[in-house]
Each structure stands twice: as structure tokens, then as C-alpha cells.
Amino acid sequence: MSARRPERIDGYLPLRDYAAIGDGRTAALVGLDGSVDWLCIPDHDSPSVFGRLLDANRGGFFELCPDEPFEAERRYQPGSNVLETTFQTASGSVRVTDALTFVSKELAPLRELVRKVEGLAGAVPMRFRLVPKFGYGTRKVVLTRRAGIPVAHAGHHALALAPIGFPECSIDGESFEGRVTVEPGEPRYLALAFAERQPLVLPTRKHVEERLARTEAFWPVWSERARSCGGPWSDDVLRSVLALKLCVFAPSGAIVAAPTTSLPEWIGGERNWDYRFSWVRDSTWALDTLVDLHYHEEAHAFFWWLQHAARLTLPQLNVLYRIDGSLRTRERVLPGFEGYRGSRPVRIGNAAAEQQQLDIYGALLDCVWLYAREMGSLDRKTGKLMAGVADHVAKIWRQPDCGIWEVRSEPTHFVQSKAMCWVALDRAAKLAEMGALPDRRTHWRREADACRAFIEEHGWDAGRNSYARATTLHEADASLLTMVLQGFHEPDDPRLRGTIDAVQRELQEGPYVFRYRGPDGVPGDEGAFLTCSFWLVDALARTGRVDEASALMDELCALANDVGLFSEEVDRRDGSFLGNMPQALTHLALANAAVSLVSAGVE
């Protein structure tokens, strides 16, 4: 960790300069320059109160930094999601500790952001500026004082700022502002309390210190189970598990793909999607990670959330669900927001929910099989419902779909989708053998065999010695690596090995792997997809190419930002982050790749 001067481009920090904090309900992105630029209240999928990440002028933020030139370095507290940023100036140094705190049960409606300021050396002039913008910047905000405490409200949303140890702050137009000179001694606090349709509880020093201490104590205990997992990459796995925890919505057990929306897959492009939902396809990798790393409570919670959400539509599945399990995911464009570094549109909601994506059935039934094998038995009703899903797959696997990458071109016969239909039928038959599902395995195995035969006849490209992206698209697709991970053939099968070679030959550039090269119905370029790089590590490890997998794993883990986080994609030209972050699927793929390497004998 080394100090450096954060630089904004047209008001925007590089995505690499963000760290994330969270409280199990929502998450915030904190910039290296001390600005909280993203926070949705009260939950992950709620409208933002700080949205500077997507509009430098209209989004709102909470800035806290030295009032003179500075350099900054940061770290997470060991085994924790509590962030510490150290600012160094000509006058001295100051440490700011940021956390979304865990509040007591009786204060459950409260969300609290605590910023602790400690002087380390010298006398450093500090300033803060709080610019709240409720409802993605669309709500009229009133700034006032109650009992001397700065309060902002917009309709039934309100926040209160307790500047503990700071002089009284001023109201300047749309912001609260304050300054203080910080020296070593008693810490100072800026505690921001949020409430929705609830009376605001104004923080006091005693209560703020208690809640921050409770939060700081929680994280190392919770993360201890992952500390020794992952062999040589244990530290990377530990950070990935902590990043995954930031994506969990604790009240339901749902896991969002990322706590952000519309961070672009290419600067200035329109591949900007809302990821604050829970995708069915992520379920297998999430359950794998949680079980392998001994987080059984979270695995149980996520599995049963998924089961209850899916029951709204069974035997048909939705691609994604809201964190409360509902289906309200209509996609719309946020008017007026310029997007990160001018990348429009800014989208709220996700139209992928309306697509047919056949791979999700394999993800669900593989998740059920993992749960039944590793965690516990299924009740009779759940078993009957899952048998109905398998029957549905037997009827629809021959249909075209939009595939794992949610393309917005015409549906076609994607090979990975067909392979996941085979997984669905294969896992249903295995569950029936276990007695977990009604026994229709003869029918399911017959359809699984027919699905496999279709793939071998129409999805194999002999000229490239590889499975094809689709029956109509004879090109590479990194999602085909999941055929190795899901056991479509034995690991030493020459067709799987040929497919790995084709992905490396056609899609890999150094450590970076692209999803595909062909058209997908959306204009513009995109970055390299980090999950695919970790899938390649996993596939190489499972097929015996352990040295190659280990070397690639080392190279990839070095691509994380200074606090160990990954976004969705990377710009191959300069290593800058692209896409939403922190990205749950990237961190899941990292953890699973590390487990596969350890299983292959790497120590």
C-alpha cells in the first residue's frame, strides 16, 4: 500500500479508486479521495441518496478530506469490511475510518454511516461537504436544523448529520459544510443517520462509538472461517468472501450481482446495466463457494430465498428476482443523468428478466443437488416442485434462447444453454436416485441423452476442434468453459480440452479473457470479462494443467485494486476497471478457482 494523489477526470474517479462498505442491507462506494459517491437507501435496490458515481453534478456525495493538497492510502481492517484511509499532507497525517454500522435490533429501520477522524501527526485542516440527493437526484431536498442537528429531508426520507467533535456546520445552498483542524487526541465523528417513514434517531458520541465498535468486532469473527481457505491465494479468497458478503441482503438471504447500476462495460458506451438483482444462474457458484468455505448459514438462507422466489413462477423460472423475491424489474432510463464519464444511458431495472434463458434451469437444479448432497434434505413439496421444473426442461430444451450473456439479438440455439439443460435433467435424475424428487429419472435421462446428442451433432465444430458458441455461430464463447466445471464430460475428454484450447486461442489476451467476439444486438465495445478468466483457471486446474492454472491465477489476483476488489470487466489496454463493482460473480469465480487448485494439489 503506497500513498498517491487521487485524480478525478471531469469529476469522476477511476473505478479502481473505489472501495465498498456495507451493513447487510445496502452498500456504499468510498473514493480514495474521501468522497462517498454511491449509496442507495434503505436497501441495495432503493434509489440513491449519493449518486455522484453516475452524475458528477446531480448525483450527490459526502466528501471528507484534508483542506490542502494530500496523498492517500487505504486498507480494510484485517478480515473486515471496515475501511481505513490515511491522508498525508504537508501539515501532518489523519486517518478516516468508514463503516456502515450494525445497529441494535430496536433501531432496525436506521441506516448509519459513520466516519471516524483521528489525527496521527501534526495539525491537518479537514473539510467535509454533504450533498444529499434523494431519489436519484429527482427529489426536492430541504436542508434544515432540528435541535441544532443538520437534517435533510425529501418526502418520507430523511437523514441527520451528527458532527461530533466538529464545530457547527453551515448550510450552503444544497449542502452542509464544515471545517476543523485535526490533531492527535480524542477522535471526531461524522455520523449520518437515515430513516424512512420513521422518526430520526439523532446519534450521540456514546452510541456512535458503541455501534462502530460492534461493527469492527463482527467482521473478523465472521470472516475467520475463510482465513485459511484457498492455499496460496487464501488472502484473495478471504477478500472475495467479504466482498460477497457486501452483496448479501441479510433480511432475505438474496445476493445481488453487484450493489451498483449502469457502470459501463466501455467508457462512453451504452452497455450499462442494473445489477442490483439476484440472478438464478449465480446460484450454483454462490452455493459452491459458501459450502466450500463453511458458510452454511448463508448457504441455507440463499437456497431457501431462491426456492421461495422461484415459486412465484414455477415451473417456469425468471432470469432474475428482486432482493425481496418479487418480479418488479421493469427497465427504464433515468432521465438527465449523464452516466459515469458520459456513458449513457443510466438504467434502472433490467429487461433481461423478460428473456428466455435456458441455462438457468441447470443452475437451479444443480443448486438443489448441491444443497441436498451437502446441506440437508428437501421437504416433499419442494421435491415435487423441482420435479416439475425438470419436466418443464424436458419440454423446452429444444427451443432457442438468449443465452447466458443475455444478448439482445434474435434468440438462437446457444450450446452452453443446451449443456445446462442437460445439467438440469442429469441433476434431477441424481436427486431422484437420492429419493429427494419423485422418481421420473427414466424420462429425464432419456431427454438428457437426447440433449447431449443434439449438442454433439449440432454444437461441435470439427474444424476448430471445439464446441461452438451456437449452432448458427461457429466461434468461441468463454461460457463453454462451464461445461468443464459442470461435468458435461470427464475432465480428460478431448472435446473439453479442445474447447479450452479454442477459448485460449480466440478469446484470451494475456490474463484477460473475452466472453465472445461476435455480435449480440448491442452496439459498441466491451472489456475483458474477469469471471471468464477465473473460469479458465478453474477449467485448467480440473483438466490437469495445474502449473498453467496457478500461473494465471497469480497474474489475475494481482489485477485487483489496492484493497482487493474486482469489478465486472477490465480494459485490456491499461487495466482500468469497467462494469459494476464489486462484482459478486467475479469474486465467486475467484474463490471457486482457488478451491479447484487446492483440490488439484497446489499448496
Side-chain angles (χ1 to χ4, degrees):
M1 185 172 67
S2 59
R4 59 187 174 85
R5 173 70 179 174
E7 299 288 346
R8 287 186 177 260
I9 302 172
D10 297 327
Y12 295 95
L13 279 177
L15 294 180
R16 276 188 170 276
D17 281 357
Y18 285 103
I21 57 176
D23 62 359
R25 292 172 181 260
T26 190
L29 293 193
V30 185
L32 181 63
D33 63 355
S35 181
V36 181
D37 286 351
W38 182 254
L39 178 61
C40 296
I41 290 294
D43 302 322
H44 284 301
D45 59 355
S46 300
S48 64
V49 66
F50 302 140
R52 189 186 202 178
L53 185 68
L54 296 177
D55 194 308
N57 298 309
R58 297 185 56 194
F61 57 90
F62 186 7
E63 188 176 70
L64 171 62
C65 63
D67 198 16
E68 62 184 14
F70 63 87
E71 291 186 336
E73 59 182 353
R74 61 191 175 173
R75 66 161 197 161
Y76 284 110
Q77 292 179 358
S80 177
N81 279 321
V82 175
L83 181 69
E84 294 180 347
T85 304
T86 300
F87 297 103
Q88 298 176 357
T89 78
S91 302
S93 59
V94 169
R95 180 169 58 230
V96 173
T97 300
D98 285 312
L100 283 166
T101 61
F102 302 131
V103 297
S104 58
K105 186 174 181 181
E106 62 269 20
L107 294 177
L110 176 71
R111 302 288 185 276
E112 183 182 61
L113 170 63
V114 170
R115 315 199 72 181
K116 177 183 178 182
V117 184
E118 299 172 278
L120 302 178
V124 180
M126 297 288 289
R127 62 180 171 83
F128 74 85
R129 187 180 181 205
L130 170 63
V131 184
K133 296 284 188 178
F134 292 97
Y136 304 113
T138 62
R139 306 290 301 278
K140 181 181 178 181
V141 181
V142 177
L143 304 184
T144 185
R145 297 182 189 276
R146 296 181 188 174
I149 297 293
V151 175
H153 61 87
H156 54 261
H157 293 90
L159 62 84
L161 175 66
I164 300 167
F166 283 76
E168 184 174 293
C169 67
S170 62
I171 299 176
D172 184 4
E174 60 182 10
S175 66
F176 293 117
E177 299 182 11
R179 284 174 168 79
V180 68
T181 297
V182 177
E183 302 177 56
E186 188 175 51
R188 304 168 190 265
Y189 296 88
L190 293 173
L192 197 61
F194 303 84
E196 180 183 24
R197 295 190 175 92
Q198 296 285 337
L200 271 169
V201 179
L202 302 180
T204 65
R205 175 182 286 271
K206 176 177 181 294
H207 292 139
V208 167
E209 289 180 336
E210 287 176 351
R211 290 194 286 269
L212 180 58
R214 183 187 307 126
T215 304
E216 290 179 318
F218 167 84
W219 285 113
V221 174
W222 181 86
S223 65
E224 180 64 30
R225 283 167 283 180
R227 190 172 298 278
S228 60
C229 298
W233 305 280
S234 290
D235 290 345
D236 305 286
V237 170
L238 175 62
R239 179 49 53 197
S240 288
V241 170
L242 285 160
L244 179 63
K245 185 66 169 175
L246 290 174
C247 296
V248 172
F249 182 63
S252 70
I255 302 173
V256 297
T260 55
T261 179
S262 296
L263 291 179
E265 296 177 14
W266 197 257
I267 301 302
E270 60 181 74
R271 296 172 181 266
N272 317 319
W273 316 110
D274 192 347
Y275 275 11
R276 298 170 300 160
F277 304 99
S278 192
W279 267 255
V280 172
R281 78 166 45 86
D282 296 0
S283 59
T284 296
W285 292 292
L287 205 72
D288 247 343
T289 299
L290 293 171
V291 170
D292 285 341
L293 302 182
H294 316 299
Y295 288 93
H296 288 187
E297 182 179 343
E298 285 78 7
H300 275 294
F302 178 59
F303 177 81
W304 288 111
W305 171 84
L306 181 62
Q307 286 294 316
H308 289 301
R311 289 182 190 194
L312 294 172
T313 57
L314 288 180
Q316 184 174 332
L317 286 177
N318 260 43
V319 174
L320 54 94
Y321 297 85
R322 290 192 64 167
I323 55 178
D324 63 0
S326 69
L327 304 175
R328 304 186 308 276
T329 59
R330 180 179 67 87
E331 183 175 296
R332 62 186 177 89
V333 172
L334 196 60
F337 258 42
E338 73 171 10
Y340 176 78
R341 293 182 57 189
S343 304
R344 297 185 182 89
V346 173
R347 291 181 171 94
I348 305 300
N350 199 308
E354 301 168 8
Q355 294 182 345
Q356 172 160 275
Q357 298 176 17
L358 296 178
D359 68 293
I360 62 177
Y361 294 95
L364 176 66
L365 282 163
D366 191 48
C367 182
V368 174
W369 178 64
L370 286 169
Y371 181 87
R373 188 185 67 184
E374 302 288 345
M375 300 287 294
S377 59
L378 303 178
D379 61 86
R380 186 174 179 181
K381 182 177 180 181
T382 299
K384 289 180 65 176
L385 289 169
M386 293 302 101
V389 172
D391 291 340
H392 184 61
V393 175
K395 294 177 182 176
I396 68 170
W397 70 261
R398 295 171 176 83
Q399 298 175 9
D401 78 326
C402 294
I404 185 174
W405 303 128
E406 305 180 343
V407 300
R408 300 202 173 189
S409 50
E410 284 298 313
T412 190
H413 294 283
F414 288 101
V415 172
Q416 193 267 354
S417 294
K418 302 302 184 193
M420 291 303 291
C421 287
W422 175 86
V423 168
L425 295 163
D426 175 75
R427 303 306 191 261
K430 289 180 177 178
L431 285 160
E433 289 173 4
M434 295 169 58
L437 268 61
D439 192 356
R440 296 195 282 276
R441 61 185 133 161
T442 300
H443 172 56
W444 296 331
R445 290 206 182 280
R446 184 170 59 248
E447 288 297 321
D449 290 343
C451 183
R452 183 191 289 276
F454 177 92
I455 293 168
E456 303 298 355
E457 180 179 356
H458 302 287
W460 176 254
D461 184 350
R464 296 173 48 257
N465 192 36
S466 171
Y467 289 108
R469 183 182 175 200
T471 58
T472 56
L473 298 167
H474 284 223
E475 60 195 37
D477 186 329
S479 71
L480 296 170
L481 295 170
T482 65
M483 296 172 73
V484 182
L485 311 188
Q486 298 289 354
F488 185 76
H489 288 302
E490 291 300 315
D492 60 354
D493 187 274
R495 292 197 169 195
L496 292 184
R497 290 176 177 269
T499 300
I500 293 172
D501 291 341
V503 168
Q504 291 182 296
R505 184 174 62 249
E506 300 176 35
L507 298 178
Q508 186 179 8
E509 296 183 16
Y512 304 122
V513 177
F514 293 83
R515 298 187 296 173
Y516 48 83
R517 300 287 194 184
D520 58 10
V522 183
D525 207 343
E526 67 176 14
F529 202 77
L530 284 164
T531 293
C532 296
S533 292
F534 288 110
W535 282 348
L536 178 57
V537 172
D538 206 333
L540 290 169
R542 291 174 188 241
T543 53
R545 296 161 65 175
V546 178
D547 290 344
E548 189 178 353
S550 296
L552 179 57
M553 187 72 168
D554 287 340
E555 199 170 358
L556 288 169
C557 289
L559 298 176
N561 75 355
D562 58 314
V563 289
L565 296 183
F566 285 98
S567 62
E568 178 183 23
E569 299 183 7
V570 167
D571 188 332
R572 66 192 181 280
R573 300 170 301 180
D574 59 10
S576 60
F577 279 1
L578 296 167
N580 290 299
M581 69 170 291
Q583 179 77 4
L585 191 56
T586 305
H587 286 283
L588 288 169
L590 183 158
N592 289 335
V595 170
S596 290
L597 280 163
V598 172
S599 297
V602 178
E603 297 180 353

